[in-house]
């Protein structure tokens, strides 16, 4: 399976009252374990072997905890924003510049269920530069931000008004490094690249059916905790 980059460098301002200023969001405890354990278990269960953690804010404790990933059944490497933060786009572009082929990208604060093997096969037989997993959400869990037509993402709109789109970016995608050939100088947001590729019809859409769980705020933390407890055998 292709390598996976995990974006885990966010400031986590909405949950800082739970973690404090020195602890990264990925170490927030859910059902008695650090969230990163759940995320890495999800990836290992999907057949992933290699993970690169893209980190910035308060990376030290996370690096110390996960290490080389052997305890999670993975090979984990680290790429830290230095000397200044690169933004999500800059961090991923830097990682892509070290590769010769496609890679997966996901977020370090979200639990997902993605048929990775099937989507890899679909993506590698296409000419898209980005394959986006999408969920038919219709504003149910979060505001939908994607319109899909003919197997392509034709609109990607952050903070879209309610009712604008039926699908939401599910939080896991597959990229070709060529997507970043014309990227601006860091720092920049990954959404800038997504919108550019969408305009040129280079983003394939890969629908999934299970809702996502995240730790972005107090409400979602409670929902995620209930989910993990109910599915303890999968994660713990």
């Amino acid at each position: 399976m292709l390598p996976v980059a995990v974006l885990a460098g966010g400031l986590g301002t909405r949950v800082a009252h739970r973690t404090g200023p020195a602890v990264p969001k990925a170490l927030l405890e859910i059902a008695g374990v650090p969230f990163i354990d759940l995320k890495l278990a999800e990836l290992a269960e999907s057949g992933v072997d290699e993970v690169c953690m893209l980190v910035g804010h308060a990376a030290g404790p996370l690096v110390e905890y996960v290490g080389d990933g052997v305890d999670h059944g993975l090979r984990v490497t680290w790429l830290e924003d230095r000397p200044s933060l690169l933004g999500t786009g800059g961090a991923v572009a830097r990682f892509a510049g070290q590769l010769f082929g496609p890679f997966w990208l996901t977020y370090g604060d979200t639990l997902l269920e993605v048929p990775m093997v099937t989507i890899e096969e679909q993506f590698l037989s296409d000419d898209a530069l980005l394959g986006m997993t999408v969920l038919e959400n219709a504003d149910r869990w979060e505001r939908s931000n994607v319109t899909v037509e003919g197997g392509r993402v034709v609109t990607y709109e952050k903070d879209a008004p309610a009712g604008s789109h039926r699908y939401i970016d599910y939080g896991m995608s597959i990229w070709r490094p060529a997507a970043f050939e014309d990227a601006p100088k860091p720092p920049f947001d990954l959404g800038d690249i997504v919108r550019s590729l969408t305009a040129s019809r280079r983003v394939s859409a890969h629908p999934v059916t299970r809702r996502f769980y995240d730790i972005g705020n107090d409400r979602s933390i409670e929902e995620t905790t209930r989910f993990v407890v109910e599915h303890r055998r999968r994660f713990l």
Side-chain angles (χ1 to χ4, degrees), residues 2 19 41 54 62 70-71 77 84 94-95 99 102 109 127 143-144 153 187 210 213 218 221 228:
L2 297 174
T19 62
L54 310 184
L62 187 60
V70 64
D71 291 340
T77 56
S84 58
R94 182 182 174 200
F95 175 70
L99 303 179
D109 62 354
D127 65 351
R143 194 74 56 83
S144 297
V153 174
R210 299 292 182 90
Y213 291 88
D218 287 335
I221 288 170
V228 170

Side-chain angles (χ1 to χ4, degrees), residues 8 10 12 15 18-20 22-40 53 55 57-67 72 78 108-109 215 221:
V15 296
R18 290 176 178 263
T19 62
V23 177
K25 181 166 55 172
L27 288 178
L28 179 68
E29 285 203 358
I30 300 294
V33 299
F35 184 83
I36 191 62
D37 284 357
L38 308 175
K39 184 63 183 183
L40 294 178
M53 302 289 295
V55 294
H57 169 67
L62 187 60
V63 175
E64 182 178 356
Y65 179 76
V66 176
H72 296 84
W78 300 84
D109 62 354
I215 54 170
I221 288 170

Side-chain angles (χ1 to χ4, degrees), residues 23-181:
V23 177
K25 181 166 55 172
L27 288 178
L28 179 68
E29 285 203 358
I30 300 294
V33 299
F35 184 83
I36 191 62
D37 284 357
L38 308 175
K39 184 63 183 183
L40 294 178
E42 168 197 290
L43 294 175
E45 182 186 50
S46 296
V48 173
D49 298 311
E50 298 182 26
V51 171
C52 182
M53 302 289 295
L54 310 184
V55 294
H57 169 67
L62 187 60
V63 175
E64 182 178 356
Y65 179 76
V66 176
D68 61 6
V70 64
D71 291 340
H72 296 84
L74 299 165
R75 293 189 296 275
V76 176
T77 56
W78 300 84
L79 198 57
E80 186 173 355
D81 284 6
R82 287 189 178 181
S84 58
L85 297 180
L86 302 174
T88 53
V92 179
R94 182 182 174 200
F95 175 70
Q98 300 179 353
L99 303 179
F100 296 100
F103 62 94
W104 285 96
L105 176 68
T106 188
Y107 295 97
D109 62 354
T110 308
L111 296 178
L112 309 168
E113 191 165 333
V114 176
M116 296 178 68
V117 173
T118 299
I119 292 176
E120 270 193 24
E121 293 174 352
Q122 294 170 348
F123 180 77
L124 295 175
S125 65
D126 197 347
D127 65 351
L129 294 180
L130 162 61
M132 180 188 293
T133 58
V134 295
L135 176 68
E136 192 170 2
N137 174 61
D139 298 331
R140 180 177 178 184
W141 293 292
E142 288 186 16
R143 194 74 56 83
S144 297
N145 59 358
V146 169
T147 292
V148 174
E149 293 178 4
R152 283 293 197 261
V153 174
V154 297
T155 307
Y156 175 79
E157 183 182 13
K158 280 189 174 181
D159 302 318
S164 300
H165 308 284
R166 288 199 60 80
Y167 289 87
I168 189 171
D169 173 7
Y170 189 62
M172 193 163 201
S173 50
I174 185 169
W175 295 76
R176 287 186 166 92
F180 297 93
E181 286 182 352

Side-chain angles (χ1 to χ4, degrees), residues 200-212:
S200 60
R201 302 288 293 239
R202 301 302 298 274
V203 183
S204 56
H206 303 272
V208 295
T209 58
R210 299 292 182 90
R211 68 156 292 187
F212 54 86

